[in-house]
Amino acid sequence: MAATSTTTSGSGSQPYRPYRHLKTLTAHERAVSCVKFSNDGSRLASASLDKTLIIWSAETLSLLHRLTDHSEGISDLAWSSDSRYICSASDDRTVRIWDGTSGECVKTLRGHSHAVFCVNFNDQTNLIVSGSFDETIRVWEVKTGKCIHVMKGHTMPVTSAHFNRDGSLIVSGSHDGSCKIWESASGTLLMTLIDDKVPAVSFARFSPNGKFVLVATLNDTLKLWNYSQGRHVKIYTGHVNREYCITFTFSVTQGRRYIVGGSEDCCVYLWDVQQKNMVQKLEGHTDTVISVSCHPTENKIASAGLDNDRTVRIWVQDA
Amino acid sequence: MNTPIIDPLQGDFPEVIEEYLEHGCMKCIAFNRRGTLLAAGCNDGSCVVWDFETRGVAKELRDNECSSPITSVCWSKCGNRILVSAADKSLSLWDVLSGKRMTRIVLQQTSLQARLHPGSSMPSLCLACPLSCAPMIVDLNTGNTTSLKVSVSEISNGPNLPSRNKCSDGITSFTPTAACFSKYGSLVYVGNSKGEILVIDHQDGEVRAMVPISGGSVVKNIVFSRNGQYLLTNSNDRVIRIYENLLPLKEEVRALDDLNKNFNDLDGVEKLKAVGTKCLTLFREFQDSITKVHWKAPCFSGDGEWVVGGSASKGEHKIYIWDRAGHLVKILEGPKEALIDLAWHPVRPIVVSVSLNGIVYIWAKDYTENWSAFAPDFKELEENEEYVEREDEFDLIPETEKVKGSDVNEDEEVDIVTVEEDAAFSDSDMSQEELCFLPATPSRDVPEQDKCLESSSKLVDSTNTGSPLSEEAGPNGHMPNQASSPVEDDAGGARVKRKRKPSEKVLELQAEKIKKPSKPSKSSKPRGKSLVDQDNSNGFDGVELTDE
């Protein structure tokens, strides 16, 4: 698709209103690895290989804080559901919890023996799950910082870990090609969704209602699985994803249901969940778009680019 | 709760002690409606709220005025309030989120049990069962108490007005009388010392029905199941009886009125008994016919399928579990201390018991390895099956590959947003915001005292975030993988696709190291993974240092 901005009308009675580029935020000195809006929509956080995290105001897009305590690059970050805290996963093997308003580092969670790659809070904000290059998944108690469970089962680095809505399950993806679902209360393995050696599972997350799992594999494919039935129900393609662990997210604002994600061809892709067609491709980045985040209430998307790009770009829908 | 993929093979009741909680000397416990928080009343008058998921203390409700042992704890339906009764005759109502005490009422007598009205989200009424008095309804806002009748013989004795702010004179006995609210709180079921269950409308104090228990021995406990369909009584004759509730759950008083009309030809006690037969029928009886043990704190499981009762014998900690059909399915034995309280988790197969020395034991299912979890097409078989080969099993068919699920209907609608209501919490009259969990605030890391001053000044980021003294092992004794995993990141970097190129990074590290003042000892390592803050010099065992 060579057009700058291809639009195809998706589901819903209204025609699709395309997103356009609003602003480019340049403040990182190296590749930006992750970008996330807070749950209350007031702030945006970005993490980078330059070892810092930046908190921006989502409204004015001005820089609020720069958090510099990590001693190595940061691969992932997550907001707590009350938007008070941020947790970050770094190559210095630690997970840090920061105060989202003051930018202070409140806690450091140690235990992983290799770079921590992915991190997430549960909705109740009393647990953090982290996946690491040491092939384990750890569940931490937020209050004391204790590691409650160490879940072993993957045979290669864990690329993503996510809690479902009520915090009872954790889905994890790994370079060993498997996607596993664990019970968070006991740390036990409940089921293995995919078990092919190739391609590697680069990303996995639950749908907002916890019934489906969105799985990205390094063969340019994105699948939506119904895990209780053990089969996939939708396949999304068109993007390029062979090397990096690109994150994908659901956009469910204002009645529309889309999947938004980055790609190695420097574009942000939007797919309609039901029709599976690509509704728009946002161009502008100059390197792989590794992470995207949708604003919880407004139709705003933030995307992050790798080393050649180093920017966070904001896209909005025309009124 | 994602029951579809959790293996239902083994039966839904706990088997072994999974963990125990210790915080002072706890006496009584209660789960909140969803089972995410556990409140425990202690010997020193404070109440501890545990976050059941992390098994950590979420809040402590302590006030200076009350320092006598807590006799009972009760949550309000939406989890915002806790009612606590203590041995100094007081009742305290706490707001959970803020940890502040809202009301404190001192009664004439210590209540052994206090229950908040279950029908409303901001209850102002509660039911208190004092030590040697009739149970009373206490209005928490005004402090007024209304005693309930405990004997039907009072009715035929002419007008006997419910006494205000005064214990009714010892009617028949001084043994404590048990009472509980019905599911929506419009009726109170009282079990008296004559072995009768009285159904009382607490708004006007009228006894509406009476159900005599065979044997007529004193009723010690009376409790409803969560869905309000079954009633349990524990009597002095060492028998636990289950009754089925025949009244409709919502329009109880009206149904009673209708029944009353039907039996207009009867009078007094006879009428009450007749109405009573339409309210409750005996369903099952449980007893241990061999040891004839007294029961303590019997209750239902969350879904009403199981009945659990503790043995009241001192010196043993035994919990009996029956299914509702009457079969004894399990006896759980704990350490040799008497059991003083028992509770079943509202949704999960977990039982929590309190022992005499104040420790709370959590009983859960024994974890058995679920082999079918390891691959998508693994299935667990009950018994060995002979494998019969297909005719063409080993034929070479070049073009046909195993196509998995190609006939997936990709056009069906998927709903990723609608949340299914959990059947266990189907009470739809929940208008108020429910308190499901207490937000956790991470406790700040203690900035460490540097033993080696030299290193601290040369640290990369000398911010005082400090290194926490966080223990690695969780309460279950899970030891994290401390074995030095050969950090083959760079070597295996080719296989492992990361978000950035490994070699670049290493070069950078080297460059950095040359620029910065050297860290003690480890700076000669080529891959300085152990650059992590101050760990080098202070020898914290938390972080893997020896990854040569």
Side-chain angles (χ1 to χ4, degrees):
Chain A
M1 303 238 190
T4 338
S5 200
T6 343
T7 59
T8 333
S9 58
S11 62
S13 46
Q14 304 148 342
Y16 176 73
R17 281 182 353 233
Y19 279 85
R20 59 169 180 84
H21 181 223
L22 178 70
K23 195 163 178 192
T24 305
L25 307 173
T26 340
H28 281 294
E29 289 150 33
R30 291 202 52 205
V32 186
S33 55
C34 183
V35 67
K36 290 249 169 83
F37 277 104
S38 63
N39 268 38
D40 59 359
S42 64
R43 280 156 291 161
L44 175 70
S46 62
S48 162
L49 294 190
D50 66 3
K51 311 175 199 174
T52 67
L53 283 153
I54 297 182
I55 303 180
W56 313 79
S57 151
E59 191 63 46
T60 62
L61 297 175
S62 53
L63 196 154
L64 295 176
H65 297 287
R66 192 186 284 263
L67 318 177
T68 54
D69 285 351
H70 274 297
S71 53
E72 297 291 341
I74 305 169
S75 304
D76 198 11
L77 77 97
W79 285 91
S80 63
S81 49
D82 53 10
S83 306
R84 279 165 64 199
Y85 297 101
I86 298 176
C87 63
S88 59
S90 164
D91 286 347
D92 64 7
R93 306 187 208 169
T94 64
V95 173
R96 281 184 190 255
I97 305 180
W98 313 79
D99 183 313
T101 348
S102 66
E104 228 190 299
C105 175
V106 180
K107 219 157 180 61
T108 307
L109 310 177
R110 291 171 210 273
H112 277 296
S113 49
H114 208 313
V116 190
F117 199 70
C118 49
V119 76
N120 253 310
F121 273 103
N122 64 344
D123 270 4
Q124 294 89 318
T125 320
N126 54 1
L127 296 175
I128 287 178
V129 65
S130 64
S132 157
F133 267 75
D134 64 5
E135 300 163 13
T136 65
I137 300 166
R138 279 177 185 249
V139 178
W140 312 81
E141 186 189 342
V142 169
K143 189 156 186 185
T144 57
K146 270 201 306 205
C147 176
I148 305 184
H149 297 301
V150 181
M151 284 129 74
K152 299 184 201 166
H154 283 297
T155 51
M156 280 184 76
V158 179
T159 54
S160 70
H162 187 234
F163 276 104
N164 68 340
R165 237 188 93 254
D166 62 8
S168 57
L169 300 177
I170 294 172
V171 66
S172 68
S174 160
H175 268 291
D176 65 5
S178 70
C179 175
K180 295 186 192 264
I181 298 185
W182 314 75
E183 189 183 16
S184 49
S186 53
T188 56
L189 178 62
L190 286 178
M191 73 184 289
T192 304
L193 203 52
I194 309 169
D195 199 24
D196 314 317
K197 296 289 173 246
V198 278
V201 172
S202 55
F203 180 72
R205 78 171 278 153
F206 280 102
S207 64
N209 63 356
K211 275 171 60 178
F212 299 95
V213 176
L214 185 66
V215 182
T217 44
L218 291 184
N219 60 348
D220 312 328
T221 318
L222 190 60
K223 287 189 184 165
L224 189 68
W225 287 76
N226 180 329
Y227 61 88
S228 35
Q229 292 174 5
R231 62 187 187 98
H232 59 89
V233 291
K234 299 278 180 194
I235 302 185
Y236 307 92
T237 51
H239 60 299
V240 181
N241 189 3
R242 307 240 177 85
E243 216 181 313
Y244 295 107
C245 295
I246 297 177
T247 61
F248 296 82
T249 182
F250 291 93
S251 165
V252 293
T253 46
Q254 299 173 11
R256 305 243 165 196
R257 314 272 177 257
Y258 300 113
I259 293 180
V260 186
S263 164
E264 283 155 24
D265 63 4
C266 313
C267 303
V268 177
Y269 280 73
L270 283 94
W271 291 269
D272 182 293
V273 172
Q274 309 297 352
Q275 310 292 334
K276 303 167 299 188
N277 58 328
M278 185 192 69
V279 292
Q280 195 179 359
K281 196 164 114 165
L282 306 172
E283 296 182 9
H285 278 283
T286 51
D287 199 349
T288 300
V289 179
I290 191 101
S291 171
V292 288
S293 176
C294 295
H295 192 279
T297 48
E298 300 163 20
N299 284 340
K300 201 187 278 188
I301 296 177
S303 58
L306 285 189
D307 255 328
N308 254 346
D309 180 271
R310 304 180 193 180
T311 63
V312 174
R313 284 172 200 253
I314 311 290
W315 315 79
V316 289
Q317 261 188 349
D318 292 323
Chain B
M1 293 280 129
N2 296 71
T3 35
I5 57 174
I6 294 177
D7 183 22
L9 272 179
Q10 289 141 332
D12 262 334
F13 50 85
E15 288 157 352
V16 287
I17 292 183
E18 178 182 69
E19 209 177 329
Y20 67 88
L21 305 175
E22 218 176 332
H23 186 97
C25 186
M26 295 177 277
K27 291 263 142 217
C28 47
I29 46 175
F31 274 107
N32 69 342
R33 195 159 157 267
R34 298 211 168 234
T36 50
L37 299 170
L38 177 71
C42 304
N43 232 358
D44 59 359
S46 68
C47 180
V48 178
V49 180
W50 296 85
D51 179 333
F52 202 65
E53 290 179 353
T54 58
R55 309 282 159 89
V57 177
K59 213 144 193 92
E60 222 184 297
L61 307 175
R62 181 182 287 278
D63 100 80
N64 299 327
E65 289 182 33
C66 178
S67 54
S68 29
I70 305 287
T71 52
S72 82
V73 245
C74 177
W75 289 84
S76 70
K77 191 163 175 184
C78 60
N80 283 326
R81 307 258 187 271
I82 290 183
L83 180 70
V84 163
S85 63
D88 60 355
K89 310 180 192 172
S90 66
L91 293 177
S92 305
L93 184 70
W94 294 82
D95 176 74
V96 182
L97 195 56
S98 62
K100 293 210 185 344
R101 193 191 66 201
M102 298 180 51
T103 330
R104 179 180 152 95
I105 297 178
V106 180
L107 302 170
Q108 298 273 334
Q109 292 224 342
T110 298
S111 311
L112 288 183
Q113 220 196 55
R115 293 272 171 272
L116 278 171
H117 190 271
S120 56
S121 44
M122 284 299 186
S124 58
L125 292 179
C126 73
L127 176 68
C129 301
L131 191 51
S132 50
C133 232
M136 55 179 84
I137 299 280
V138 182
D139 184 328
L140 292 165
N141 291 335
T142 61
N144 276 342
T145 59
T146 319
S147 281
L148 298 172
K149 299 197 185 108
V150 285
S151 173
V152 287
S153 51
E154 290 175 13
I155 299 172
S156 23
N157 285 345
N160 195 357
L161 298 165
S163 40
R164 292 214 163 251
N165 286 338
K166 198 171 62 140
C167 254
S168 26
D169 302 319
I171 311 142
T172 37
S173 68
F174 284 91
T175 54
T177 316
C180 69
F181 277 110
S182 63
K183 176 161 175 165
Y184 291 104
S186 36
L187 296 174
V188 174
Y189 285 69
V190 175
N192 66 11
S193 49
K194 289 198 275 196
E196 297 161 348
I197 302 175
L198 305 176
V199 180
I200 303 179
D201 179 348
H202 66 82
Q203 311 250 350
D204 53 15
E206 281 294 314
V207 178
R208 298 307 210 98
M210 193 260 275
V211 180
I213 303 177
S214 60
S217 52
V218 179
V219 175
K220 296 197 291 189
N221 304 98
I222 184 166
V223 67
F224 263 100
S225 67
R226 245 175 81 103
N227 56 12
Q229 283 172 350
Y230 292 96
L231 180 71
L232 177 158
T233 60
N234 177 20
S235 311
N236 228 5
D237 61 356
R238 309 152 209 239
V239 179
I240 295 176
R241 291 180 175 82
I242 309 287
Y243 290 85
E244 207 176 323
N245 183 13
L246 303 169
L247 291 176
L249 293 173
K250 292 237 179 176
E251 299 284 320
E252 300 169 301
V253 184
R254 211 160 45 140
L256 282 174
D257 287 338
D258 293 340
L259 286 170
N260 238 325
K261 289 194 208 108
N262 290 345
F263 291 106
N264 246 332
D265 47 341
L266 296 171
D267 228 0
V269 179
E270 287 306 314
K271 182 175 186 178
L272 291 176
K273 277 197 196 163
V275 177
T277 55
K278 300 283 180 226
C279 296
L280 294 172
T281 49
L282 182 61
F283 186 66
R284 285 281 178 276
E285 286 186 356
F286 300 124
Q287 58 180 312
D288 187 331
S289 35
I290 302 169
T291 58
K292 294 263 186 240
V293 65
H294 277 280
W295 302 109
K296 187 130 181 122
C299 60
F300 286 97
S301 70
D303 53 1
E305 285 299 316
W306 313 93
V307 176
V308 67
S311 150
S313 310
K314 302 239 164 82
E316 68 175 7
H317 193 99
K318 271 185 167 172
I319 300 171
Y320 288 66
I321 304 180
W322 298 268
D323 66 12
R324 224 179 40 224
H327 308 120
L328 178 66
V329 291
K330 191 95 188 158
I331 301 182
L332 303 173
E333 280 208 53
K336 301 270 182 227
E337 296 131 10
L339 183 148
I340 50 175
D341 201 2
L342 195 59
W344 194 300
H345 192 279
V347 273
R348 287 166 40 192
I350 293 180
V351 165
V352 177
S353 65
V354 188
S355 73
L356 190 61
N357 58 7
I359 299 185
V360 170
Y361 293 99
I362 301 176
W363 300 80
K365 296 181 74 60
D366 203 4
Y367 169 61
T368 48
E369 197 74 59
N370 179 14
W371 299 107
S372 61
F374 286 92
D377 42 3
F378 276 12
K379 256 181 12 203
E380 286 214 23
L381 299 174
E382 285 283 331
E383 32 174 64
N384 291 339
E385 272 178 22
E386 277 284 326
Y387 181 63
V388 178
E389 292 167 12
R390 272 193 344 260
E391 181 69 39
D392 59 352
E393 174 93 29
F394 294 108
D395 291 355
L396 280 172
I397 307 169
E399 69 278 8
T400 337
E401 284 179 23
K402 279 261 175 73
V403 183
K404 285 190 212 166
S406 57
D407 47 351
V408 165
N409 180 10
E410 290 216 359
D411 292 331
E412 52 182 86
E413 280 279 314
V414 256
D415 189 353
I416 54 170
V417 177
T418 321
V419 179
E420 270 174 13
E421 283 304 321
D422 201 338
F425 303 115
S426 54
D427 289 351
S428 48
D429 50 354
M430 204 40 121
S431 48
Q432 172 118 37
E433 195 57 51
E434 199 179 322
L435 183 73
C436 292
F437 55 90
L438 287 172
T441 316
S443 55
R444 282 182 186 258
D445 287 344
V446 175
E448 55 154 25
Q449 267 73 43
D450 279 321
K451 297 170 211 150
C452 184
L453 284 169
E454 198 185 47
S455 58
S456 67
S457 59
K458 289 177 187 166
L459 291 169
V460 178
D461 38 349
S462 47
T463 53
N464 55 353
T465 49
S467 56
L469 307 165
S470 51
E471 317 88 62
E472 303 304 329
N476 289 340
H478 283 290
M479 288 314 286
N481 185 12
Q482 290 295 322
S484 42
S485 49
V487 181
E488 82 279 24
D489 56 340
D490 297 327
R495 250 186 338 143
V496 174
K497 301 287 190 210
R498 290 197 255 167
K499 284 181 178 169
R500 15 168 221 116
K501 318 261 180 303
S503 51
E504 201 180 276
K505 193 203 164 311
V506 173
L507 292 174
E508 252 185 44
L509 279 178
Q510 309 240 344
E512 277 174 11
K513 263 204 276 293
I514 296 168
K515 277 189 291 184
K516 281 190 274 247
S518 61
K519 284 182 164 311
S521 60
K522 307 277 183 174
S523 51
S524 53
K525 281 181 24 167
R527 299 170 286 101
K529 274 299 178 186
S530 54
L531 275 189
V532 183
D533 301 353
Q534 314 88 310
D535 305 320
N536 287 343
S537 48
N538 291 324
F540 271 99
D541 55 22
V543 178
E544 188 56 59
L545 299 176
T546 57
D547 50 357
E548 305 277 35

